[in-house]
C-alpha cells in the first residue's frame, strides 16, 4: 500500500512537471506573441481610422473645389462632379448602421419645423 502511494505521488508530480514544462515552452511564448499581435492590430486600426479621416477630408475639399458649376438647365454639356470614392465602404456593417441612424437624426434636426419655436 505504501509503495502504491509513493508511485501515485511520483506519477502525479511527473504529470504536473510535464504540464508546467509544456506551458512554459509553448503557451507562454504564444501568449506573448498574441499580446504583441493584438497591440499591433490596435495601432494599425487607429492609424487606418486616422488615415481614412484625412483621406475623406482631402476628397471632400477636392469635391468642393470641383462643385463650382453653372446652371444645368442652360448648359447640359457641363461635366458634373464624378464620384469614385464612397466613404461608407470603409466602415464595418455596425459602423454603417450607426452612421445611418446619426444622419437620420441630423436631418430631422435640420428640417425640424416646430411652429411654437419659429420666429416670424
Amino acid at each position: 500500500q505504501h509503495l502504491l502511494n509513493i508511485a501515485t505521488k511520483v506519477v502525479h508530480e511527473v504529470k504536473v512537471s510535464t504540464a508546467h514544462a509544456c506551458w512554459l515552452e509553448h503557451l507562454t511564448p504564444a501568449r506573448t506573441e498574441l499580446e504583441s499581435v493584438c497591440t499591433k492590430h490596435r495601432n494599425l486600426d487607429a492609424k487606418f481610422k486616422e488615415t481614412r479621416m484625412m483621406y475623406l477630408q482631402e476628397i471632400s475639399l477636392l469635391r468642393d473645389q470641383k462643385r463650382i458649376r453653372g446652371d444645368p438647365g442652360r448648359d447640359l454639356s457641363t461635366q458634373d462632379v464624378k464620384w469614385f470614392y464612397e466613404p461608407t465602404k470603409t466602415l464595418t456593417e455596425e459602423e454603417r448602421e450607426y452612421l445611418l441612424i446619426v444622419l437620420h437624426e441630423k436631418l430631422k434636426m435640420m428640417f425640424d419645423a416646430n411652429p411654437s419655436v419659429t420666429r416670424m
Side-chain angles (χ1 to χ4, degrees):
Q1 181 69 9
H2 179 67
L3 190 59
L4 188 57
N5 286 342
I6 293 174
T8 303
K9 190 181 281 188
V10 168
V11 169
H12 176 71
E13 288 175 5
V14 168
K15 286 182 181 179
V16 169
S17 295
T18 303
H20 186 65
C22 288
W23 180 269
L24 290 176
E25 189 174 329
H26 298 288
L27 295 177
T28 300
R31 176 180 272 174
T32 304
E33 184 179 355
L34 176 63
E35 290 171 0
S36 172
V37 168
C38 286
T39 300
K40 287 179 184 177
H41 179 266
R42 280 191 299 274
N43 292 339
L44 283 174
D45 192 45
K47 286 180 183 179
F48 169 74
K49 289 177 180 176
E50 178 184 0
T51 304
R52 178 175 62 185
M53 180 57 77
M54 291 186 313
Y55 184 74
L56 178 58
Q57 290 170 341
E58 185 172 336
I59 292 296
S60 180
L61 178 66
L62 291 171
R63 286 179 179 170
D64 287 344
Q65 292 172 355
K66 185 78 173 168
R67 276 193 184 93
I68 301 170
R69 50 176 101 116
D71 183 4
R74 288 200 199 146
D75 185 12
L76 297 177
S77 66
T78 303
Q79 289 287 328
D80 203 357
V81 177
K82 293 181 182 177
W83 293 25
F84 297 101
Y85 174 68
E86 173 54 47
T88 60
K89 293 290 185 183
T90 61
L91 302 176
T92 65
E93 188 62 34
E94 294 82 20
E95 290 172 325
R96 210 173 294 125
E97 287 176 26
Y98 178 74
L99 175 66
L100 289 174
I101 293 168
V102 169
L103 287 174
H104 185 253
E105 281 302 310
K106 289 290 185 180
L107 287 171
K108 286 193 308 188
M109 289 168 56
M110 288 170 54
F111 295 106
D112 189 18
N114 185 348
S116 65
V117 296
T118 304
R119 291 187 203 174
M120 297 281 181

